[in-house]
Amino acid sequence: MSHGSGLIRTTCSSGGAPGPGQPSEGLLDRVYPRTQGALLKVAQMVTLLIAFICVRSSSPWIDYGAYSFFEVVTICDLIMILVFYLVHLFRFYRVLTCISWPLSELLHYVIGTLLLLIASIVAASKSYNQSGLVAGAIFGFLASFLCLASLWLSYKITCITQSTDASA
């Protein structure tokens, strides 16, 4: 029995491309802010901003390195999610066709979620029961969960096995 090589296909359902019934004219996509992907991005941005503010406003830090890493990760993640939100909202994916937007968003979510989860774990372990730091770590975990939910709902991975037999 001969097994062929495996082919992996990823499909994106981020709501960027206009579907049936959506107007394709104009710079601003008026339907996108009401889609599931856009609402998840807004929720991620709000939780990341709250996590950043909670950690930033805590005055006496015990471990400065851990919390500056947490701040950098949350702000960078927030900025990248805002960029992808604006790309979909203003339909920049139509103008900048040299960039594979679904692939870049997928890579951002995988790497950003992993870094955010690591930063939240470090922040939680180094919080020493200070309420602002604990709240920042909790909102970091919540933002990690929302990023995972967005990744899970936006991208579907299908594995297809192709046969190399001549009879097939």
Side-chain angles (χ1 to χ4, degrees), residues 1-7 159-168:
M1 181 150 102
S2 172
H3 292 286
S5 62
L7 176 68
C159 295
I160 300 170
T161 304
Q162 295 179 343
S163 177
T164 58
D165 291 342
S167 63

Side-chain angles (χ1 to χ4, degrees), residues 69-70 115-125 136-137 139-142 144:
F69 174 66
F70 184 82
L115 286 175
L116 186 60
L117 187 62
I118 291 169
S120 298
I121 290 171
V122 170
S125 67
F139 277 105
F141 283 122
L142 182 61
S144 298

Side-chain angles (χ1 to χ4, degrees), residues 53-108:
I53 290 172
C54 286
V55 169
R56 189 68 182 168
S57 66
S58 298
S59 55
W61 288 354
I62 305 299
D63 190 359
Y64 182 74
Y67 293 108
S68 19
F69 174 66
F70 184 82
E71 286 179 347
V72 167
V73 169
T74 54
I75 284 299
C76 288
D77 219 12
L78 188 140
I79 290 171
M80 287 305 298
I81 292 170
L82 179 64
V83 165
F84 285 118
Y85 183 83
L86 293 176
V87 162
H88 288 294
L89 183 66
F90 290 109
R91 298 178 184 172
F92 289 138
Y93 55 87
R94 290 183 180 176
V95 178
L96 298 171
T97 57
C98 60
I99 299 173
S100 174
W101 290 106
L103 179 62
S104 60
E105 195 169 0
L106 173 72
L107 289 175
H108 163 260

